[in-house]
């Protein structure tokens, strides 16, 4: 199988991080999709309290990505990855063992902080270890992540036949195994000083890179539309079929497409034109993916849109991850990833709010097409933003020295 052949061509550290992402997504999606039901139905919490617990977890992760990125640069990505996985082990175990609000809030904070630590650190480590094969490494990263996102809910639904605690302890066990594997296999790397007086100096340098910030904001479409794999598309599949299980078809279609096409797409496009053009093209495809369901109701348009959305993600995402470290110095790779996820995460949250408004407004007014068109506009606007930055020469190219872009 091509995926395994390509994987074996990377250093052992990269191979572990790929398997690590499979485990991370399996453990995460084994638990989190069922957490709200557990809190509301099993523990009898009100919708407001459930929202607080889930919101604290999300805020802890999204708001602290910058901490994880800086820690990766200052302390070394290896230690931050291990600490993040260990924290998520504790957090998920607390979800299993605690029923009180204080314990559940602590579990939410720990699991969110864990993601804030290891997400930017994993990407920084992968970018550094992959060398000139960053695009292929991140393509494989997507394959393993997507596979884990499919396995997790399937395993979680099976374990829920026992009870929620079994599911949560299984997820905690997965993260515990990953923590041990990372400690044993991931090699330590010398941490190069950034040259700044402290973390605030690192942040000022990255935040002063206007081209980078403009690119992060332009990527709002990618993150907003990726989130529709968990909101609008499953909802459309359920509406079209009248079957709650139809949402699983969305993930199955995407996983099969990702396994079959991701590496072929990335290796095929890598040598054909500048990366920024393919990022813009991928975003445009992601936007166009929402037109079939907008134009026609039914399960076929929804699945066609799902395929197009995954295709756009497969085109754009590896090159986005490859491009981010090129905006600045190698010593600040983690900080760039951390701030990228904070900026784009906040922007995407606003985008998701707009999509939610369009869903409610469309339902009340009998305009079922409205949220689909809204998503299409997000994708096309992001594609236009990246294309505009590329035409202005604001984006680094693969042949451009990294340090030359640090103050762009």
């Amino acid at each position: 199988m091509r995926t395994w052949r390509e994987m074996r061509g990377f250093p052992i550290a990269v191979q572990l991080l790929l398997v690590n992402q499979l485990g991370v997504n399996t453990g995460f999606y084994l638990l989190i999709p069922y957490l709200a039901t557990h809190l509301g139905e099993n523990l009898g919490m009100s919708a407001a309290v459930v929202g607080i617990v889930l919101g604290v977890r999300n805020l802890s992760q999204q708001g602290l990505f910058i901490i994880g990125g800086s820690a990766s640069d200052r302390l070394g990505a290896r230690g931050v990855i291990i600490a993040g996985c260990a924290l998520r082990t504790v957090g998920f175990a607390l979800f299993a063992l605690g029923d009180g609000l204080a314990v559940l809030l602590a579990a939410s904070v720990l699991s969110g902080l864990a993601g804030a630590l290891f997400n930017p650190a994993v990407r920084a480590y992968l970018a550094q270890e992959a060398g000139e094969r960053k695009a292929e490494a991140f393509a494989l990263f997507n394959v393993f992540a997507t596979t884990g996102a499919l396995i997790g809910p399937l395993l979680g639904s099976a374990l829920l036949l026992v009870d929620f605690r079994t599911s949560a302890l299984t997820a905690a066990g997965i993260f515990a195994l990953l923590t041990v594997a990372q400690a044993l296999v991931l090699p330590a790397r010398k941490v190069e000083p950034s040259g700044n007086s402290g973390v605030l100096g690192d942040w000022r340098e990255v935040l002063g890179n206007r081209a980078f910030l403009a690119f992060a904001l332009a990527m709002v479409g990618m993150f907003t539309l990726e989130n529709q794999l968990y909101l609008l598309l499953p909802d459309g599949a359920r509406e079209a079929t009248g079957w709650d299980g139809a949402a699983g078809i969305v993930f199955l279609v995407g996983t099969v497409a990702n396994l079959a096409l991701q590496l072929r797409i990335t290796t095929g496009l890598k040598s054909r034109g500048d990366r920024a053009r393919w990022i813009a093209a991928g975003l445009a495809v992601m936007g166009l993916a929402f037109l079939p369901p907008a134009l026609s109701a039914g399960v076929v348009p929804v699945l066609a849109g799902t395929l197009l959305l995954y295709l756009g993600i497969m085109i754009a995402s590896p090159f986005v991850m490859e491009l981010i470290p090129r905006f600045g110095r190698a010593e600040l790779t983690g900080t760039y990833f951390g701030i990228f996820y904070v900026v784009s995460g906040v922007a995407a949250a606003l985008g998701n709010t707009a999509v939610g408004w369009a869903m409610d407004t469309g339902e009340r007014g009998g305009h079922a097409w409205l949220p689909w068109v809204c998503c299409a506009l997000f994708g096309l606007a992001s594609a236009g933003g990246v294309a505009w930055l590329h035409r202005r020469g604001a984006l680094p190219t693969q042949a451009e020295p990294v340090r030359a872009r640090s103050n762009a």
Side-chain angles (χ1 to χ4, degrees), residues 343-405:
V343 172
S344 56
V346 171
L350 297 175
N352 285 329
T353 301
V355 173
W357 170 85
M359 290 176 70
D360 291 338
T361 303
E363 184 176 356
R364 287 194 303 267
H367 305 303
W369 50 266
L370 185 60
W372 304 101
V373 171
C374 179
C375 288
L377 292 175
F378 269 120
L380 295 175
S382 284
V386 172
W388 179 73
L389 289 171
H390 178 56
R391 285 197 301 271
R392 291 191 66 234
L395 303 181
T397 66
Q398 59 270 27
E400 194 172 4
V402 170
R403 292 180 182 271
R405 304 294 306 182

Side-chain angles (χ1 to χ4, degrees), residues 62-124:
Q62 296 292 336
L64 297 177
F65 274 132
I66 189 172
I67 303 298
S70 292
S72 173
D73 290 333
R74 291 276 169 169
L75 305 175
R78 177 183 180 273
V80 176
I81 292 169
I82 294 171
C85 270
L87 279 177
R88 186 155 280 181
T89 301
V90 177
F92 279 19
L94 285 177
F95 277 128
L97 303 175
D99 294 341
L101 181 59
V103 175
L104 293 170
L105 287 175
S108 293
V109 170
L110 288 175
S111 60
L113 175 60
L117 288 175
F118 64 68
N119 280 354
V122 163
R123 286 158 178 80

Side-chain angles (χ1 to χ4, degrees), residues 38 55 207 263 276 295-296 335 343 369 380:
H38 169 67
L207 292 171
L263 277 173
L295 296 173
S296 177
T335 304
V343 172
W369 50 266
L380 295 175

Side-chain angles (χ1 to χ4, degrees), residues 240-317:
T241 63
W243 174 46
D244 287 342
I249 299 176
V250 170
F251 297 106
L252 179 61
V253 166
T255 302
V256 172
N258 195 276
L259 287 169
L261 299 175
Q262 177 68 85
L263 277 173
R264 289 181 172 84
I265 289 172
T266 302
T267 55
L269 297 181
K270 184 178 178 180
S271 59
R272 292 178 172 85
D274 194 88
R275 307 288 203 275
R277 293 178 180 175
W278 292 120
I279 293 173
L283 290 168
V285 172
M286 290 176 70
L288 294 174
F290 292 86
L291 292 183
L295 296 173
S296 177
V299 68
V300 173
V302 170
L303 292 181
T306 299
L307 276 173
L308 282 174
L309 180 58
Y310 271 101
L311 179 62
I313 294 170
M314 286 187 278
I315 293 171
S317 182

